[in-house]
């Protein structure tokens, strides 16, 4: 698969998943993950999230911007490595604002603690299992009968 096709596959999985698990590095160097709703995915895999300036993820990103964001839907998964930055630009916040975000920030886009996290994606790896669960079960049975390694789909890695 070409890099363009692989990048398209990665963004397709992200756009179909909506919620990503953002992993940051805490003060002790441990990995910490939490779910965030992706607001926008660029063609190059860069992502935007709304959050509060008072959250642990913002503190972690400010101390160490290295992050990973993973997404999954049905039988497709993607893991994106990159760096994040906290964006406080009110014009950008207003431009990306939507009614879904209002559930977390009912006072609107001018709520002082509303910020954006922009993830500059460096690389991604994806996995797909076409045919869904039935195909996966069939491949498992086939591998047991033939004493061969199970093959359930495709995977790829791409620099973004």
């Amino acid at each position: 698969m070409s890099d363009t096709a692989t990048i398209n596959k990665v963004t397709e999985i992200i756009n179909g998943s909506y919620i990503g698990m953002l992993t940051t590095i805490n003060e002790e160097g441990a990995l910490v993950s939490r779910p965030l709703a992706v607001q926008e995915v660029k063609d190059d895999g860069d992502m935007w999230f709304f959050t509060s300036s008072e959250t642990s993820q913002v503190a972690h990103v400010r101390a160490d911007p290295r992050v990973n964001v993973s997404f999954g839907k049905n039988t497709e998964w993607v893991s994106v490595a990159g760096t994040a930055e906290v964006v406080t630009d009110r014009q950008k916040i207003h431009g990306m604002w939507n009614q879904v975000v209002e559930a977390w920030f009912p006072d609107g886009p001018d709520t002082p603690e509303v910020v954006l996290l922009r993830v500059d994606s460096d690389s991604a790896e994806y996995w797909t299992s076409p045919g869904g669960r039935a195909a996966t079960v069939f491949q498992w049975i086939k591998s047991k009968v033939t004493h061969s390694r199970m093959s359930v789909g495709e995977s790829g890695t791409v620099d973004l």
Side-chain angles (χ1 to χ4, degrees), residues 13-93:
I13 295 170
I14 293 169
N15 281 322
S17 301
Y18 307 112
I19 303 293
M21 290 297 290
L22 174 75
T23 302
T24 58
I25 302 168
N26 73 9
E27 301 80 12
E28 289 81 35
L31 300 174
V32 180
S33 299
R34 80 283 288 155
L36 285 178
V38 68
Q39 299 301 309
E40 182 178 18
V41 182
K42 299 289 188 180
D43 291 340
D44 61 0
D46 289 356
M47 296 172 269
W48 291 86
F49 300 88
F50 275 101
T51 192
S52 168
S53 61
E54 299 171 2
T55 59
S56 62
Q57 59 262 28
V58 167
H60 295 171
V61 164
R62 285 184 170 146
D64 187 337
R66 295 175 295 165
V67 298
N68 187 277
V69 189
S70 59
F71 296 87
K73 68 171 190 162
N74 301 323
T75 58
E76 296 183 306
W77 304 270
V78 67
S79 176
V80 180
T83 54
E85 74 171 304
V86 178
V87 176
T88 59
D89 179 336
R90 286 290 148 204
Q91 185 174 354
K92 183 71 175 172
I93 290 169

Side-chain angles (χ1 to χ4, degrees), residues 54-140:
E54 299 171 2
T55 59
S56 62
Q57 59 262 28
V58 167
H60 295 171
V61 164
R62 285 184 170 146
D64 187 337
R66 295 175 295 165
V67 298
N68 187 277
V69 189
S70 59
F71 296 87
K73 68 171 190 162
N74 301 323
T75 58
E76 296 183 306
W77 304 270
V78 67
S79 176
V80 180
T83 54
E85 74 171 304
V86 178
V87 176
T88 59
D89 179 336
R90 286 290 148 204
Q91 185 174 354
K92 183 71 175 172
I93 290 169
H94 275 269
M96 295 188 76
W97 193 259
N98 60 70
Q99 290 183 343
V100 174
V101 179
E102 218 161 272
W104 282 273
F105 301 102
D107 293 333
D110 290 317
T111 304
E113 64 267 13
V114 172
V115 297
L116 290 163
L117 281 182
R118 178 184 168 273
V119 175
D120 181 13
S121 302
D122 295 327
S123 64
E125 187 160 352
Y126 75 92
W127 303 266
T128 66
S129 182
R133 290 186 185 131
T136 301
V137 170
F138 173 75
Q139 287 296 329
W140 180 79

